[in-house]
Amino acid sequence: MTYVIEHKNKKLTLPAFDEIPVGVIRRARKMEADEQIWFVLESVLKDKDLAILDSMSVKEFSTAISGWTGGTPVGESLQSAKS
């Protein structure tokens, strides 16, 4: 299932967080925590979608990403984050 973010009358669709290719997560695992989410987003979104994210405030972005990930850190699975 996808996750849709709406901002300023524009929509971007993210793949379900648990459907991101493992290779993307594997490459992000040794990055600093603040770099991981950007690596993942840049791996799954097109430039026009990244432009929508770039126009968001930090608060709006944090809320949207938390909703997309379910609060799961990038290097963890949804199951391990809930235990």
Side-chain angles (χ1 to χ4, degrees):
M1 193 161 140
T2 60
Y3 186 82
V4 177
I5 295 173
E6 295 185 40
H7 181 67
K8 294 184 179 179
N9 297 319
K10 295 182 181 180
K11 289 182 183 182
L12 68 97
T13 303
L14 293 160
F17 189 69
D18 60 356
E19 293 180 6
I20 294 173
V22 170
V24 172
I25 301 300
R26 179 184 56 77
R27 288 190 300 277
R29 78 186 187 284
K30 293 184 181 178
M31 295 177 178
E32 296 291 326
D34 57 339
E35 289 294 321
Q36 289 178 337
I37 195 65
W38 293 113
F39 178 81
V40 171
L41 289 168
E42 290 168 352
S43 296
V44 299
L45 292 176
K46 296 179 180 177
D47 287 342
K48 68 179 183 69
D49 295 324
L50 290 169
I52 295 169
L53 291 179
D54 288 347
S55 70
M56 299 173 90
S57 70
V58 172
K59 183 177 180 179
E60 292 167 325
F61 175 78
S62 295
T63 299
I65 296 305
S66 182
W68 177 49
T69 65
T72 303
V74 172
E76 291 187 38
S77 69
L78 289 172
Q79 291 75 21
S80 67
K82 292 179 183 176
S83 354

